[in-house]
């Protein structure tokens, strides 16, 4: 099977894992992705979930244990505690459209 672009990447960043619920199928695909890339790419995960809460998030304790074995095999884990910078400074993170307004020309 050919490698996808993400499987060739030197660094993969997975931001806010666990922020939204995932289905069992998504958890299985995520496990496969981790299994295929954990020895060949560096990975950064951000999450507000403790590692002990990942089994509930993934919906399968056995799958989660196998996945965490791979993730944590060469890992350095850092935990940052404290008030969220985004919540403390909401004025810096106002939602602005990243796409300029398009004018639509109509045929007469």
């Amino acid at each position: 099977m050919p490698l996808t672009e993400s499987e060739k990447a030197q660094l993969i960043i997975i931001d806010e894992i666990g922020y939204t619920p995932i289905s069992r199928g998504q958890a299985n695909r995520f496990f496969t992705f981790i299994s295929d890339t954990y020895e060949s790419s560096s990975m950064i995960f951000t999450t507000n979930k403790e590692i002990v809460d990942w089994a509930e998030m993934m919906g399968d304790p056995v799958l989660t244990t196998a996945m965490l074995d791979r993730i944590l095999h060469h890992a350095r884990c850092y935990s940052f505690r404290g008030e969220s910078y985004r919540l403390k400074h909401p004025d810096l993170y106002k939602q602005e459209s990243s796409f300029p307004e398009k004018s639509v020309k109509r045929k007469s």
Side-chain angles (χ1 to χ4, degrees), residues 6-29:
S6 58
E7 290 171 325
K8 295 180 206 174
Q10 292 179 0
L11 175 64
I12 298 168
I13 300 172
I14 301 173
D15 190 33
E16 293 287 352
I17 186 153
Y19 183 72
T20 59
I22 63 172
S23 70
R24 184 70 170 259
Q26 290 169 324
N28 288 332
R29 286 190 298 278

mmCIF file of all heavy atoms in Angstrom, residues 6-29:
data_model
loop_
_atom_site.group_PDB
_atom_site.id
_atom_site.type_symbol
_atom_site.label_atom_id
_atom_site.label_comp_id
_atom_site.label_asym_id
_atom_site.label_seq_id
_atom_site.Cartn_x
_atom_site.Cartn_y
_atom_site.Cartn_z
ATOM 1 N N SER A 6 0.970 12.228 4.822
ATOM 2 C CA SER A 6 1.161 12.352 6.261
ATOM 3 C C SER A 6 2.069 11.255 6.803
ATOM 4 O O SER A 6 2.790 11.465 7.764
ATOM 5 C CB SER A 6 -0.177 12.349 6.990
ATOM 6 O OG SER A 6 -0.880 11.171 6.696
ATOM 7 N N GLU A 7 2.063 10.093 6.181
ATOM 8 C CA GLU A 7 2.924 9.012 6.645
ATOM 9 C C GLU A 7 4.391 9.252 6.272
ATOM 10 O O GLU A 7 5.272 8.635 6.829
ATOM 11 C CB GLU A 7 2.442 7.676 6.096
ATOM 12 C CG GLU A 7 1.129 7.235 6.713
ATOM 13 C CD GLU A 7 0.519 6.028 6.035
ATOM 14 O OE1 GLU A 7 0.650 5.904 4.803
ATOM 15 O OE2 GLU A 7 -0.082 5.217 6.733
ATOM 16 N N LYS A 8 4.651 10.150 5.334
ATOM 17 C CA LYS A 8 6.011 10.499 4.950
ATOM 18 C C LYS A 8 6.539 11.689 5.748
ATOM 19 O O LYS A 8 7.720 11.996 5.683
ATOM 20 C CB LYS A 8 6.065 10.857 3.463
ATOM 21 C CG LYS A 8 5.743 9.728 2.526
ATOM 22 C CD LYS A 8 5.849 10.255 1.099
ATOM 23 C CE LYS A 8 5.008 9.497 0.153
ATOM 24 N NZ LYS A 8 4.992 10.085 -1.186
ATOM 25 N N ALA A 9 5.685 12.360 6.483
ATOM 26 C CA ALA A 9 6.056 13.585 7.190
ATOM 27 C C ALA A 9 7.066 13.307 8.301
ATOM 28 O O ALA A 9 7.012 12.275 8.958
ATOM 29 C CB ALA A 9 4.818 14.243 7.779
ATOM 30 N N GLN A 10 7.962 14.255 8.501
ATOM 31 C CA GLN A 10 8.915 14.141 9.608
ATOM 32 C C GLN A 10 8.264 14.503 10.934
ATOM 33 O O GLN A 10 8.650 13.981 11.970
ATOM 34 C CB GLN A 10 10.118 15.038 9.357
ATOM 35 C CG GLN A 10 10.964 14.580 8.198
ATOM 36 C CD GLN A 10 12.153 15.502 7.964
ATOM 37 O OE1 GLN A 10 12.353 16.491 8.670
ATOM 38 N NE2 GLN A 10 12.937 15.194 6.967
ATOM 39 N N LEU A 11 7.313 15.425 10.899
ATOM 40 C CA LEU A 11 6.624 15.863 12.111
ATOM 41 C C LEU A 11 5.128 15.907 11.852
ATOM 42 O O LEU A 11 4.679 16.490 10.869
ATOM 43 C CB LEU A 11 7.107 17.256 12.537
ATOM 44 C CG LEU A 11 6.383 17.884 13.732
ATOM 45 C CD1 LEU A 11 6.599 17.061 14.999
ATOM 46 C CD2 LEU A 11 6.834 19.317 13.935
ATOM 47 N N ILE A 12 4.373 15.294 12.747
ATOM 48 C CA ILE A 12 2.912 15.296 12.668
ATOM 49 C C ILE A 12 2.396 15.925 13.954
ATOM 50 O O ILE A 12 2.778 15.508 15.050
ATOM 51 C CB ILE A 12 2.372 13.863 12.515
ATOM 52 C CG1 ILE A 12 2.881 13.245 11.208
ATOM 53 C CG2 ILE A 12 0.842 13.862 12.587
ATOM 54 C CD1 ILE A 12 2.652 11.766 11.098
ATOM 55 N N ILE A 13 1.551 16.940 13.827
ATOM 56 C CA ILE A 13 0.969 17.610 14.991
ATOM 57 C C ILE A 13 -0.519 17.301 15.013
ATOM 58 O O ILE A 13 -1.236 17.590 14.051
ATOM 59 C CB ILE A 13 1.204 19.134 14.944
ATOM 60 C CG1 ILE A 13 2.708 19.421 14.915
ATOM 61 C CG2 ILE A 13 0.526 19.808 16.137
ATOM 62 C CD1 ILE A 13 3.053 20.868 14.674
ATOM 63 N N ILE A 14 -0.959 16.721 16.109
ATOM 64 C CA ILE A 14 -2.373 16.404 16.295
ATOM 65 C C ILE A 14 -2.858 17.274 17.438
ATOM 66 O O ILE A 14 -2.525 17.055 18.598
ATOM 67 C CB ILE A 14 -2.572 14.904 16.567
ATOM 68 C CG1 ILE A 14 -2.018 14.108 15.382
ATOM 69 C CG2 ILE A 14 -4.050 14.603 16.824
ATOM 70 C CD1 ILE A 14 -1.981 12.620 15.575
ATOM 71 N N ASP A 15 -3.627 18.285 17.082
ATOM 72 C CA ASP A 15 -4.044 19.319 18.029
ATOM 73 C C ASP A 15 -5.427 19.019 18.580
ATOM 74 O O ASP A 15 -6.328 18.643 17.842
ATOM 75 C CB ASP A 15 -4.034 20.671 17.310
ATOM 76 C CG ASP A 15 -4.220 21.838 18.254
ATOM 77 O OD1 ASP A 15 -3.765 21.775 19.407
ATOM 78 O OD2 ASP A 15 -4.837 22.832 17.822
ATOM 79 N N GLU A 16 -5.574 19.200 19.889
ATOM 80 C CA GLU A 16 -6.869 19.080 20.571
ATOM 81 C C GLU A 16 -7.497 17.696 20.439
ATOM 82 O O GLU A 16 -8.706 17.572 20.236
ATOM 83 C CB GLU A 16 -7.848 20.150 20.068
ATOM 84 C CG GLU A 16 -7.460 21.556 20.432
ATOM 85 C CD GLU A 16 -7.666 21.899 21.895
ATOM 86 O OE1 GLU A 16 -8.258 21.095 22.648
ATOM 87 O OE2 GLU A 16 -7.221 22.976 22.301
ATOM 88 N N ILE A 17 -6.699 16.645 20.578
ATOM 89 C CA ILE A 17 -7.284 15.308 20.534
ATOM 90 C C ILE A 17 -8.226 15.162 21.725
ATOM 91 O O ILE A 17 -7.908 15.548 22.834
ATOM 92 C CB ILE A 17 -6.230 14.196 20.503
ATOM 93 C CG1 ILE A 17 -6.915 12.859 20.299
ATOM 94 C CG2 ILE A 17 -5.374 14.172 21.726
ATOM 95 C CD1 ILE A 17 -6.078 11.842 19.649
ATOM 96 N N GLY A 18 -9.401 14.665 21.449
ATOM 97 C CA GLY A 18 -10.406 14.503 22.494
ATOM 98 C C GLY A 18 -11.315 15.692 22.663
ATOM 99 O O GLY A 18 -12.215 15.683 23.488
ATOM 100 N N TYR A 19 -11.098 16.726 21.869
ATOM 101 C CA TYR A 19 -11.942 17.919 21.964
ATOM 102 C C TYR A 19 -13.370 17.610 21.533
ATOM 103 O O TYR A 19 -14.317 18.106 22.117
ATOM 104 C CB TYR A 19 -11.344 19.033 21.104
ATOM 105 C CG TYR A 19 -12.094 20.337 21.188
ATOM 106 C CD1 TYR A 19 -12.029 21.111 22.342
ATOM 107 C CD2 TYR A 19 -12.868 20.790 20.134
ATOM 108 C CE1 TYR A 19 -12.718 22.304 22.439
ATOM 109 C CE2 TYR A 19 -13.557 21.982 20.214
ATOM 110 C CZ TYR A 19 -13.481 22.740 21.368
ATOM 111 O OH TYR A 19 -14.168 23.915 21.453
ATOM 112 N N THR A 20 -13.500 16.777 20.522
ATOM 113 C CA THR A 20 -14.820 16.324 20.094
ATOM 114 C C THR A 20 -14.851 14.796 20.153
ATOM 115 O O THR A 20 -13.822 14.139 20.000
ATOM 116 C CB THR A 20 -15.135 16.779 18.651
ATOM 117 O OG1 THR A 20 -14.137 16.259 17.776
ATOM 118 C CG2 THR A 20 -15.175 18.284 18.534
ATOM 119 N N PRO A 21 -16.028 14.219 20.378
ATOM 120 C CA PRO A 21 -16.124 12.754 20.432
ATOM 121 C C PRO A 21 -15.769 12.128 19.089
ATOM 122 O O PRO A 21 -15.950 12.741 18.037
ATOM 123 C CB PRO A 21 -17.602 12.496 20.754
ATOM 124 C CG PRO A 21 -18.202 13.798 21.096
ATOM 125 C CD PRO A 21 -17.306 14.884 20.584
ATOM 126 N N ILE A 22 -15.242 10.905 19.140
ATOM 127 C CA ILE A 22 -14.942 10.184 17.911
ATOM 128 C C ILE A 22 -15.655 8.844 17.921
ATOM 129 O O ILE A 22 -15.929 8.277 18.980
ATOM 130 C CB ILE A 22 -13.424 10.004 17.682
ATOM 131 C CG1 ILE A 22 -12.803 9.158 18.783
ATOM 132 C CG2 ILE A 22 -12.719 11.328 17.581
ATOM 133 C CD1 ILE A 22 -11.366 8.794 18.508
ATOM 134 N N SER A 23 -15.942 8.352 16.745
ATOM 135 C CA SER A 23 -16.644 7.071 16.615
ATOM 136 C C SER A 23 -15.656 5.925 16.749
ATOM 137 O O SER A 23 -14.437 6.116 16.695
ATOM 138 C CB SER A 23 -17.340 6.994 15.252
ATOM 139 O OG SER A 23 -16.368 6.881 14.225
ATOM 140 N N ARG A 24 -16.179 4.728 16.887
ATOM 141 C CA ARG A 24 -15.332 3.532 16.981
ATOM 142 C C ARG A 24 -14.510 3.364 15.696
ATOM 143 O O ARG A 24 -13.329 3.041 15.756
ATOM 144 C CB ARG A 24 -16.228 2.315 17.220
ATOM 145 C CG ARG A 24 -15.526 1.013 17.428
ATOM 146 C CD ARG A 24 -14.827 1.045 18.788
ATOM 147 N NE ARG A 24 -14.342 -0.241 19.154
ATOM 148 C CZ ARG A 24 -14.941 -1.055 20.005
ATOM 149 N NH1 ARG A 24 -16.059 -0.706 20.585
ATOM 150 N NH2 ARG A 24 -14.411 -2.209 20.304
ATOM 151 N N GLY A 25 -15.122 3.613 14.549
ATOM 152 C CA GLY A 25 -14.405 3.522 13.277
ATOM 153 C C GLY A 25 -13.275 4.530 13.190
ATOM 154 O O GLY A 25 -12.180 4.216 12.698
ATOM 155 N N GLN A 26 -13.524 5.753 13.654
ATOM 156 C CA GLN A 26 -12.478 6.776 13.654
ATOM 157 C C GLN A 26 -11.338 6.378 14.591
ATOM 158 O O GLN A 26 -10.168 6.587 14.266
ATOM 159 C CB GLN A 26 -13.054 8.130 14.075
ATOM 160 C CG GLN A 26 -13.968 8.736 13.041
ATOM 161 C CD GLN A 26 -14.724 9.939 13.576
ATOM 162 O OE1 GLN A 26 -15.127 9.982 14.743
ATOM 163 N NE2 GLN A 26 -14.918 10.928 12.714
ATOM 164 N N ALA A 27 -11.674 5.796 15.734
ATOM 165 C CA ALA A 27 -10.647 5.335 16.676
ATOM 166 C C ALA A 27 -9.800 4.237 16.043
ATOM 167 O O ALA A 27 -8.573 4.225 16.187
ATOM 168 C CB ALA A 27 -11.297 4.839 17.967
ATOM 169 N N ASN A 28 -10.435 3.329 15.309
ATOM 170 C CA ASN A 28 -9.693 2.263 14.631
ATOM 171 C C ASN A 28 -8.753 2.832 13.561
ATOM 172 O O ASN A 28 -7.603 2.404 13.443
ATOM 173 C CB ASN A 28 -10.648 1.247 14.002
ATOM 174 C CG ASN A 28 -11.320 0.385 15.030
ATOM 175 O OD1 ASN A 28 -10.786 0.130 16.106
ATOM 176 N ND2 ASN A 28 -12.524 -0.073 14.720
ATOM 177 N N ARG A 29 -9.244 3.805 12.786
ATOM 178 C CA ARG A 29 -8.397 4.423 11.756
ATOM 179 C C ARG A 29 -7.245 5.208 12.386
ATOM 180 O O ARG A 29 -6.121 5.210 11.881
ATOM 181 C CB ARG A 29 -9.229 5.319 10.842
ATOM 182 C CG ARG A 29 -10.097 4.520 9.874
ATOM 183 C CD ARG A 29 -10.742 5.384 8.802
ATOM 184 N NE ARG A 29 -11.655 6.388 9.328
ATOM 185 C CZ ARG A 29 -12.932 6.153 9.675
ATOM 186 N NH1 ARG A 29 -13.451 4.950 9.537
ATOM 187 N NH2 ARG A 29 -13.695 7.126 10.132
#
